[in-house]
């Protein structure tokens, strides 16, 4: 394939990013032994999650290979993959609607603070969309050293910091107790209005699919979190459950500065047999002006509208987006919506990482229920600790 000067420059930039991600984060000499011991303990909790069960090994399902360009050409080497990655990203942004410019110049506004058990919880505000402000919580553990950080996303920001909410969804406070700076965000007002998501420029005439706008908001959150003095901007991840899992998945796939990600049972591929894998809803990838379709399964009387049915008709699936993570690590914390058979989709990302010279970058745990539990969350925390605080392998 012919490469323009623009392509070559982008290829070099992406290659530089990959080279950076391939490095290790090294602490001071006094802390190296403790860091290695902690990394070893973390790895023991997650090492078994990076290989599919024998029944799904080298099974790729009916998904189109991300290693084929849209014109049918095959990715033959790393240089081809960098071009293919650019093609996937550009195609999905074109289909979902291009993002506005990122809001790079702002900083968090600190509104209030409470300190308990060695963690300061700040109430903060910033613009996550042009002209649209949000509030959330920044949790900062004690210590002057630069820290790894994780953004948590959900229907509202309180649950993740342990204020009310259901059990085992308090990712932000649990990660803060483990030494991470965390920023908890949620779509509080939209959730109260039952519109759930973000709409740009407004609800009545959104030009970007809402799920993509959630990813854009998370990218702006990365921008403000990276400026917090206690944060090492090279070590910022993202996590969410269910609605938040979809949000975290699209954010980390579409914005390469997230160093790693954990997606708790979002439904990682299109599946119209599962009501909770509902990418067809207007607050995800099926946006259309109100009045909206009746919420629920797709039927002849209640069809999907907007972009989603066209994506399915044209043969697109989310394996394309998973591929954008390579070689950044990600964990699917699978429940009822992401059973072990989802390895057929994940095997495509494993293959891409192998082509790039990486192993142990794609992981999945499984539980019967949709809700997280103690074991699945401990695996998420060990995953972030290993890849953001320890030495990458």
């Amino acid at each position: 394939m012919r490469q323009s000067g623009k392509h070559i420059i982008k290829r070099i930039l992406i290659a530089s990013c990959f080279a950076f991600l391939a490095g290790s984060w090294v602490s001071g000499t006094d802390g190296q032994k403790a860091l290695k011991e902690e990394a070893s303990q973390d790895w023991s909790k997650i090492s078994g999650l990076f290989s599919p069960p024998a029944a799904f090994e080298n099974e790729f399902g009916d998904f189109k290979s991300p290693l084929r360009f849209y014109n049918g050409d095959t990715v033959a080497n790393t240089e081809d993959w960098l071009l293919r990655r650019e093609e996937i990203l550009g195609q999905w942004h074109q289909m979902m609607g291009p993002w506005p410019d990122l809001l790079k110049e702002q900083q968090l506004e600190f509104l209030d603070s409470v300190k308990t058990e060695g963690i300061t919880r700040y109430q903060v505000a910033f613009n996550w969309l042009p002209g649209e402000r949000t509030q959330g919580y920044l949790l900062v553990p004690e210590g002057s050293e630069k820290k790894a950080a994780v953004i948590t996303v959900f229907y509202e920001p309180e649950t993740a910091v342990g204020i009310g909410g259901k059990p085992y969804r308090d990712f932000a406070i649990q990660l803060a107790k483990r030494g991470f700076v965390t920023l908890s965000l949620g779509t509080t007002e939209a959730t109260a209005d039952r519109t759930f998501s973000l709409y740009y420029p407004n609800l009545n005439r959104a030009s970007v699919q809402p799920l993509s706008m959630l990813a854009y908001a998370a990218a702006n959150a990365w921008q403000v979190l990276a400026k917090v003095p206690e944060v090492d901007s090279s070590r910022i991840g993202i996590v969410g459950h269910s609605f938040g899992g979809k949000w975290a998945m699209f954010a980390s796939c579409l914005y390469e500065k997230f160093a790693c990600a954990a997606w708790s049972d979002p439904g990682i591929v299109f599946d119209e047999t599962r009501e909770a894998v509902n990418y067809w809803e207007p607050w995800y990838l099926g946006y259309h002006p109100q009045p909206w379709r009746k919420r629920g399964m797709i039927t002849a009387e209640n069809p999907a509208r907007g972009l989603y049915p066209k994506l399915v008709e044209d043969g697109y699936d989310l394996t394309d987006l998973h591929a954008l993570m390579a070689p950044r690590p990600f964990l699917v914390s699978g429940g009822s919506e992401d059973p072990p058979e989802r390895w057929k989709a994940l095997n495509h990302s494993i293959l891409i990482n192998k082509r790039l010279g990486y192993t142990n970058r794609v992981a999945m745990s499984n539980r019967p229920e949709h809700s997280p539990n103690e074991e699945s969350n401990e695996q998420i925390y060990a995953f972030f600790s290993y890849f953001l605080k320890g030495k990458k392998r």
Side-chain angles (χ1 to χ4, degrees), residues 99-103 106 126-135 185 187 190 197-203 206-221 224 247:
W99 285 359
D101 291 340
L102 291 176
L103 308 176
Q106 63 176 330
F126 68 101
N127 283 0
W128 59 355
L129 269 62
E132 184 170 329
R133 205 155 179 79
T134 192
Q135 291 187 14
L185 302 174
T187 56
S197 201
L198 298 176
Y199 305 87
Y200 179 80
N202 57 56
L203 179 63
S207 61
V208 183
Q209 290 298 311
L211 188 49
S212 183
M213 282 312 294
L214 288 172
Y216 169 80
N220 286 322
V224 294
W247 186 350

Side-chain angles (χ1 to χ4, degrees), residues 41-166:
Q41 293 173 3
D42 293 330
W43 182 246
S44 69
K45 296 176 183 178
I46 62 173
S47 59
L49 306 181
F50 291 85
S51 300
F56 300 111
E57 191 172 0
N58 295 319
E59 292 290 329
F60 297 93
D62 296 327
F63 303 103
K64 291 183 178 180
S65 173
L67 287 171
R68 285 190 178 275
F69 289 89
Y70 293 132
N71 68 1
D73 290 350
T74 300
V75 172
N77 51 45
T78 300
E79 290 185 352
D80 279 354
W81 169 247
L82 297 174
L83 293 173
R84 172 64 175 140
R85 185 186 190 281
E86 181 184 340
E87 180 186 53
I88 293 171
L89 190 61
Q91 177 70 4
W92 278 81
H93 275 307
Q94 187 274 325
M95 294 189 298
M96 295 188 296
W99 285 359
D101 291 340
L102 291 176
L103 308 176
K104 297 182 178 181
E105 303 306 319
Q106 63 176 330
Q107 294 187 351
L108 289 173
E109 178 185 356
F110 290 81
L111 306 176
D112 195 7
S113 66
V114 177
K115 187 172 183 178
T116 57
E117 299 180 0
I119 297 171
T120 303
R121 187 186 75 207
Y122 299 95
Q123 189 172 16
V124 295
F126 68 101
N127 283 0
W128 59 355
L129 269 62
E132 184 170 329
R133 205 155 179 79
T134 192
Q135 291 187 14
Y137 297 95
L138 178 73
L139 276 57
V140 182
E142 290 181 341
S144 59
E145 75 284 357
K146 291 279 189 177
K147 300 173 178 64
V150 178
I151 294 173
T152 67
V153 289
F154 199 50
Y155 290 107
E156 33 66 32
E158 284 76 24
T159 293
V161 299
I163 302 175
K166 295 181 180 179

Side-chain angles (χ1 to χ4, degrees), residues 298-320:
I298 299 172
T299 65
E301 297 74 27
N302 188 30
R305 297 174 59 184
L307 175 66
Y308 175 82
K310 180 171 176 55
L311 290 173
V312 174
E313 181 183 356
D314 291 345
Y316 290 97
D317 213 316
L318 300 180
T319 44
D320 271 4

Side-chain angles (χ1 to χ4, degrees), residues 54 67-68 100 115 161 168 234-235 242 252 267 279 287 298 301 314 324 355 377:
L67 287 171
R68 285 190 178 275
K115 187 172 183 178
V161 299
Y168 301 118
S234 70
R235 296 188 285 149
S242 192
S252 54
Y279 290 97
Y287 174 81
I298 299 172
E301 297 74 27
D314 291 345
L324 298 176
R355 294 280 181 92
N377 283 3

Side-chain angles (χ1 to χ4, degrees), residues 8 24 29 60 75 96 104 114 156 186 205 290 292 372 388:
I8 293 172
S24 301
T29 303
F60 297 93
V75 172
M96 295 188 296
K104 297 182 178 181
V114 177
E156 33 66 32
R205 53 184 184 91
Q290 293 182 321
W292 283 349
L388 292 181

